[in-house]
Amino acid sequence: MSTQSNGHSGNGNKSFAETAVSAESDVGSSVSGRVAPPPGQLKKADFVSDQEVRWCPGCGDYAILNNVQKVMPELGIPREKVVFVSGIGCSSRFPYYMNTYGFHSIHGRAPALATGIKCANPDLSVWVITGDGDALSIGGNHFIHAIRRNLDLNYILFNNRIYGLTKGQYSPTSEFGKKTKSTPSGTIDYPINPLSLAIASEATFVARSIDIDVKHLGAMVEAAAKHKGISFIEVYQNCNIFNDGAFDYFAERTVRSDRVLYLEHGKPMVFGKNREKGIRMNGALPEVVTIGENGITENDLLVHDIHLSDPSVAFMLARMEQPEFPQPVGIFRAIERATYEDMMVDQIEASVAKAGPGNLEKLINSGDTWIVE
């Protein structure tokens, strides 16, 4: 499908706009001459573009791409109504690999472009693909405002705690003391917690997953896609070249059950290989307890509720980290709130109903005018 590109096609030859397949599902036609199937018959393969994937072998980006391509057919949305927008970074190659509309934009500005796209055509399913550097450094301002407006966007942040595309400098999410090419003595920046920032910006859907936990990641992507309003997912994504094993201390399969808390709505917060540990509140603070010790049962544990209107509990969970706590993943928050584009349409319709449709020529020539000769 046709796209706009900033020139970084990623394949050294034609741009995505020149090579990608169109997907005019409603009319059954395409620029390539192939007839696209209707939405209900789409498969994962229909969302795979003909572009060579240009990520390092073993990169966690592959797992995220695979999961998004698998989820898309389940949504029943025609491909010509889907748009992927990215900024700059390894993750930002993503639109090239999706057989939908796409836009590879400039550094940190993907939310601004996605906002314009969604406001111009609210019927589109718009996805923002970004990384920790792209979203939280130069793009931090755009990140906050896209979220607080509650646009109906799906926002996936690939967090590998490093600048991968520019070869290994520390990023806004790099841990304190991280030694990199740009911080040989260790960074003295305190890291940003993406979920904390999203929740503080009043995100209506917030989730987190791990690239190698394929089943869980797919469930998070699907839940986000079905949410009406801004949906934000942080994905712990391994950069096996410049920050390999950054999340192994809790995400590696052999330790994951003891060090990861899978949040499930309506269920007590239980974790551990034998589900023997849990989270309970001790006054205003959470604490890890062992079920069976000192008379503690599952009834004493904190029950997860993603629909709480007050974001305090979700924010508290987002701050829980290893080694003091298990690393929480899952849906932290999912609430309903009017979306920006719906309110914008309502506002325009109300203005037209009150003052009429208006006349552009009349507006331009109203008031004082001058002719420059």
Side-chain angles (χ1 to χ4, degrees):
M1 175 165 289
S2 301
T3 65
Q4 297 295 319
S5 170
N6 68 354
H8 300 280
S9 65
N11 60 10
N13 297 307
K14 297 180 180 180
S15 72
F16 187 47
E18 294 172 304
T19 58
V21 178
S22 176
E24 301 295 336
S25 301
D26 287 347
V27 296
S29 65
S30 73
V31 294
S32 68
R34 298 209 301 263
V35 176
Q41 297 178 22
L42 291 170
K43 309 290 185 187
K44 175 193 171 185
D46 294 311
F47 289 92
V48 178
S49 81
D50 61 359
Q51 300 295 286
E52 178 187 359
V53 180
R54 302 276 301 214
W55 287 319
C56 301
C59 175
D61 290 2
Y62 286 94
I64 305 172
L65 174 65
N66 180 64
N67 268 285
V68 172
Q69 290 171 335
K70 285 171 60 177
V71 165
M72 294 308 296
E74 304 299 320
L75 304 178
I77 302 173
R79 288 180 296 173
E80 72 272 13
K81 292 188 180 295
V82 180
V83 186
F84 283 84
V85 186
S86 65
I88 296 297
C90 295
S91 64
S92 295
R93 297 179 182 272
F94 204 95
Y96 299 114
Y97 310 141
M98 295 297 301
N99 187 19
T100 64
Y101 282 109
F103 201 120
H104 190 176
S105 71
I106 58 177
H107 206 186
R109 271 64 175 187
L113 289 163
T115 296
I117 292 168
K118 188 67 179 180
C119 290
N121 190 344
D123 291 335
L124 296 178
S125 174
V126 183
W127 297 70
V128 175
I129 304 296
T130 188
D132 45 307
D134 182 61
L136 301 174
S137 56
I138 191 170
N141 182 57
H142 297 281
F143 176 90
I144 292 170
H145 295 298
I147 288 178
R148 75 175 177 87
R149 290 181 177 124
N150 196 37
L151 288 138
D152 188 18
L153 303 176
N154 305 295
Y155 205 127
I156 304 180
L157 187 150
F158 298 22
N159 183 9
N160 54 27
R161 295 180 177 172
I162 205 76
Y163 277 103
L165 186 66
T166 51
K167 310 300 185 286
Q169 300 87 350
Y170 80 103
S171 85
T173 59
S174 295
E175 60 272 29
F176 186 85
K178 178 79 172 180
K179 291 185 177 181
T180 71
K181 294 177 180 179
S182 56
T183 54
S185 299
T187 174
I188 54 174
D189 283 4
Y190 293 104
I192 291 176
N193 182 316
L195 290 192
S196 295
L197 186 58
I199 294 168
S201 302
E202 297 292 341
T204 54
F205 179 100
V206 179
R208 177 194 280 156
S209 193
I210 305 169
D211 58 0
I212 58 175
D213 195 343
V214 176
K215 185 176 180 180
H216 184 266
L217 176 57
M220 294 301 100
V221 172
E222 184 172 3
K226 292 179 178 179
H227 175 74
K228 176 70 171 177
I230 188 74
S231 58
F232 174 74
I233 308 176
E234 175 191 21
V235 182
Y236 288 136
Q237 175 259 322
N238 190 49
C239 176
N240 58 315
I241 302 300
F242 295 109
N243 201 22
D244 193 25
F247 307 108
D248 282 356
Y249 64 99
F250 64 83
E252 206 276 325
R253 193 178 301 275
T254 59
V255 300
R256 194 185 304 163
S257 59
D258 284 323
R259 298 179 184 177
V260 171
L261 170 64
Y262 285 92
L263 300 171
E264 298 180 82
H265 176 65
K267 295 185 178 181
M269 297 183 189
V270 178
F271 68 102
K273 190 173 183 178
N274 300 310
R275 295 184 62 79
E276 76 282 10
K277 300 176 184 177
I279 303 294
R280 77 170 181 182
M281 295 302 295
N282 183 358
L285 299 174
E287 67 175 353
V288 176
V289 294
T290 300
I291 299 171
E293 287 187 359
N294 301 317
I296 294 173
T297 69
E298 283 196 11
N299 292 331
D300 298 308
L301 304 182
L302 184 60
V303 176
H304 189 44
D305 186 351
I306 64 176
H307 301 311
L308 291 174
S309 58
D310 189 303
S312 301
V313 174
F315 189 86
M316 176 192 73
L317 293 172
R319 306 299 297 173
M320 287 177 18
E321 292 187 340
Q322 279 282 298
E324 184 180 0
F325 294 100
Q327 207 81 9
V329 300
I331 300 173
F332 288 67
R333 192 182 196 215
I335 65 168
E336 295 183 3
R337 183 180 292 164
T339 64
Y340 182 89
E341 66 276 9
D342 284 350
M343 290 189 290
M344 181 191 69
V345 170
D346 290 345
Q347 193 175 65
I348 292 171
E349 290 178 349
S351 296
V352 171
K354 181 179 180 180
N359 183 294
L360 182 59
E361 183 178 0
K362 182 179 178 181
L363 175 64
I364 293 174
N365 291 284
S366 64
D368 296 328
T369 61
W370 294 267
I371 297 177
V372 179
E373 296 180 347

